[in-house]
Every structure is written in structure tokens, then in C-alpha cells.
Amino acid sequence: MTEIGDSLAVTLFSEIFMADQLARNRIARALPKGMELSHFSVLNHLARINEERTPAQLAATFHVTRGAMTNTLNRLDWAGHVHIRPDWDDARRKMVSISPSGRSAREVAIQAIAPVLAEAVADIGEDRLRAALPVLRLLRQKLEGRR
């Protein structure tokens, strides 16, 4: 990379890292008492895909270790927000799905964080954010190794 390219890359990733940290902090503070960002993320994912996943699949989706995902799933299971059952085809695996309680908890969380998200969108503008999405998506895909 050239010196200009290095500066651009460093500046870009510095902004992404800072925006990520600030967004996580703001959203985590807005979540209902007892819900962590990792809990919301898993519930939101399971609600959106509306299919069962193995803990390993979830760990890969969120780019965390299996141990970290197991910890999150155990907490969600304890709260009654997910159902964890044996895989009928392979008894060594488990399958995870969102429970009705988990759907309700997700909805409460979405209502809690909606004002934070709406404020950011309103302040920046929908058109500017829509224009940024393709670039951010390409960057994510590149970092995932898909491009």
C-alpha cells in the first residue's frame, strides 16, 4: 500500500472500530435489564431466520468460540428464551430455536433500542445511510473472505 492508502485504511478502520464501540455501548445501555447484547443478537438472529441452528452454526455466524456461544445459549435457556433439544439425526449435536418467551423478549428489546437507532438514522439521514450500506457490505464480505 502507498502512504496515502495506508492512511486511508487506518482512518477508515479507526472510524469503524469507534462507531462499533459507541453503537454497542449505546444499545447495551438501552437493552432491558438483564439482557446483554449477545443475548439480543442471538434472539434477533433466530427470530429473523425462523429456523433451528446448532450451537456451532451460531458460533460461526457470530464469529465467536463455541464456548462463548454455549455460555450465551445456557443463559438464554435458563431465562426460557430458547429451546435446546437433541438433534434427532445425530445425538452428539443439539438444535437451538427461539421460544415464545424469547420472541417476546426480543420485541421488548427492539422497542427499547428503537429510539437510539431512530435518532442515529434521523441525524445522519436515510439517503446517506443507504448510500453507505453497499460499501460496508462489500467490506464485511471481504473480511469474511467471500470476495
Side-chain angles (χ1 to χ4, degrees):
M1 277 190 142
T2 66
E3 187 175 319
I4 294 170
D6 286 342
S7 176
L8 175 62
V10 169
T11 301
L12 172 68
F13 280 93
S14 293
E15 288 295 332
I16 290 171
F17 295 152
M18 186 55 67
D20 174 65
Q21 185 66 36
L22 292 169
R24 287 175 178 274
N25 286 340
R26 298 266 319 263
I27 291 170
R29 282 196 317 265
L31 286 171
K33 185 171 173 61
M35 182 175 284
E36 296 179 20
L37 190 53
S38 60
H39 303 165
F40 171 73
S41 297
V42 170
L43 292 176
N44 192 48
H45 178 71
L46 290 171
R48 282 186 15 252
I49 63 168
N50 204 30
E51 293 179 1
E52 291 180 308
R53 290 289 188 256
T54 66
Q57 288 172 319
L58 291 169
T61 296
F62 290 100
H63 305 284
V64 298
T65 66
R66 289 182 185 194
M69 184 53 64
T70 297
N71 183 47
T72 298
L73 292 174
N74 285 340
R75 290 171 186 244
L76 289 170
D77 185 40
W78 181 83
H81 296 329
V82 295
H83 295 300
I84 302 175
R85 68 164 181 85
D87 182 342
W88 310 128
D89 297 325
D90 184 349
R92 296 169 295 177
R93 288 193 315 197
K94 295 178 180 178
M95 300 301 293
V96 182
S97 61
I98 191 168
S99 70
S101 170
R103 288 188 189 281
S104 295
R106 173 188 175 262
E107 289 305 315
V108 168
I110 287 175
Q111 294 303 313
I113 67 173
V116 173
L117 302 177
E119 178 186 352
V121 170
D123 288 350
I124 296 168
E126 285 186 29
D127 290 341
R128 292 172 87 184
L129 290 174
R130 268 195 193 87
L133 280 176
V135 173
L136 291 173
R137 188 170 291 120
L138 281 172
L139 181 59
R140 175 186 49 82
Q141 290 170 344
K142 175 69 175 168
L143 294 172
E144 285 178 335
R146 293 199 295 177
R147 286 206 164 236

